[in-house]
Amino acid sequence: MRRHLARLLTVLAVLAAAFATPGMASGVTSGTAASGTASGTASGTASGTARAADEWNPPAHLAQPLNEVWNHVSSTYPDLYGFRNYGWDQVMANRGTVNYCVRWESDAPVSAALRDRIHAALKKQFGKWMSAMVVNGKGHNAWPYTTVPVSIVGWAVKNRSTLQWTDDSVDIYSGVLDGGGAPQCAPDCGRFFHQDGNYSTCPGGAARHYDQSLWLTKGFQGGAGGDWGQRVGQEYFTGALGQENIHIYLHEVGHTFGLDDFYDWSPTGQCCFLMKAGSATQITEFDTWMLRDFWRHLKGRYGL
């Protein structure tokens, strides 16, 4: 299901896709019309795009397929510029960082060592997309960050005994369940629920809020991703901790930053890239330039 279809089902996305049990195929992105902190003006978007175009220099062989992709996005996303909770918005709101919560929807025990390996893998994999925005030691096209540190601030489980550590390195949410009975971190601390940045009811305050969830579900096949985070199988993710690229997770992070699926078409000359599920297992040159293209069309909303 494409991102724009999911967003037409706003209420279902909020109650079921993001923090219940989506039961959706790879590539679902959810969001609401109220997402974000403020709505950009048409003039701001246009002037931002014009400024960005001055620095737009993709390889010649990618110019046509990139234009095709953006034309497709522009014609199929119902609220492309009004939506305000892309991964871009989250990083910018945090001034260059991202906070995660891990939703452990499994009865498999988690040792401190496994927890730390999951944290390390999450940081490394997320960093691959952020590295794609850096060229010769500086952010591409006025992207203001050369690194985007990831902090894991919480774990959610049904039963506290599943987590076999006693330190207080992360907040633990035990028995906090969504409408589908899956464990979740406190909604009071989640950006999905508080896109105005007001975390006054979060026990740990703004510093302990989470922007996205890494949702690891026992027996889950494929993946889902959106502004709320990414969902993949618990067995898949833990089994891939030693891999260079955890490609299903990487694909879903692409959706968090607004990138589309390519189930029924391929841009000219492009057969194999990460966002075309099943055709690549790492971020390719084309994925990199699609990410940069999304940024250049959005950066005007930040005055860049």
Side-chain angles (χ1 to χ4, degrees):
M1 186 183 298
R2 288 191 186 88
R3 180 181 192 285
H4 57 281
L5 294 179
R7 287 172 59 193
L8 292 176
L9 302 175
T10 297
V11 174
L12 180 60
V14 173
L15 297 179
F19 288 93
T21 303
M24 299 177 180
S26 172
V28 175
T29 305
S30 65
T32 71
S35 295
T37 55
S39 177
T41 64
S43 61
T45 299
S47 63
T49 301
R51 287 193 297 270
D54 294 337
E55 301 177 52
W56 183 237
N57 58 347
H61 70 283
L62 296 183
Q64 179 179 340
L66 287 170
N67 285 336
E68 292 170 358
V69 170
W70 193 255
N71 288 337
H72 184 77
V73 166
S74 299
S75 64
T76 58
Y77 285 23
D79 195 23
L80 176 61
Y81 290 106
F83 185 68
R84 292 274 162 166
N85 199 35
Y86 297 110
W88 309 105
D89 298 306
Q90 297 170 18
V91 173
M92 295 297 286
N94 292 340
R95 298 182 181 181
T97 64
V98 164
N99 286 359
Y100 260 92
C101 157
V102 177
R103 300 180 64 172
W104 187 257
E105 192 179 5
S106 173
D107 55 5
V110 184
S111 66
L114 177 57
R115 174 200 65 192
D116 294 345
R117 290 186 68 206
I118 291 172
H119 289 188
L122 173 59
K123 293 176 181 181
K124 177 180 178 178
Q125 299 300 312
F126 188 90
K128 287 177 178 288
W129 276 115
M130 297 295 88
S131 293
M133 291 301 298
V134 179
V135 180
N136 296 326
K138 63 180 293 187
H140 173 78
N141 206 353
W143 174 244
Y145 306 109
T146 55
T147 61
V148 177
V150 172
S151 296
I152 295 86
V153 298
W155 274 67
V157 289
K158 283 189 176 181
N159 301 302
R160 175 63 181 85
S161 60
T162 302
L163 305 179
Q164 300 179 336
W165 70 80
T166 58
D167 62 66
D168 59 357
S169 59
V170 295
D171 295 328
I172 295 174
Y173 301 94
S174 176
V176 180
L177 308 180
D178 65 19
Q184 64 176 341
C185 290
D188 284 347
C189 299
R191 177 178 168 90
F192 187 87
F193 301 102
H194 298 278
Q195 291 167 29
D196 60 356
N198 181 359
Y199 300 107
S200 59
T201 56
C202 175
R208 306 296 287 184
H209 87 280
Y210 60 97
D211 304 290
Q212 300 175 35
S213 293
L214 174 63
W215 189 349
L216 303 178
T217 300
K218 183 178 181 179
F220 188 74
Q221 301 298 310
D227 58 316
W228 48 270
Q230 306 81 36
R231 187 186 191 192
V232 298
Q234 171 253 305
E235 302 94 332
Y236 163 76
F237 195 88
T238 55
L241 291 176
Q243 296 180 8
E244 179 61 30
N245 294 285
I246 304 180
H247 70 277
I248 297 177
Y249 166 80
L250 286 171
H251 175 98
E252 304 309 337
V253 176
H255 291 312
T256 300
F257 282 88
L259 301 187
D260 204 0
D261 271 318
F262 295 83
Y263 292 134
D264 55 1
W265 75 287
S266 294
T268 298
Q270 304 303 311
C271 73
C272 309
F273 52 98
L274 184 69
M275 296 312 296
K276 187 174 179 65
S279 68
T281 58
Q282 62 185 6
I283 298 169
T284 68
E285 180 185 41
F286 190 59
D287 294 301
T288 294
W289 283 98
M290 283 196 297
L291 184 74
R292 294 172 179 176
D293 201 12
F294 213 100
W295 164 249
R296 76 158 175 139
H297 284 94
L298 249 62
K299 73 173 194 172
R301 67 169 57 174
Y302 313 112
L304 298 172

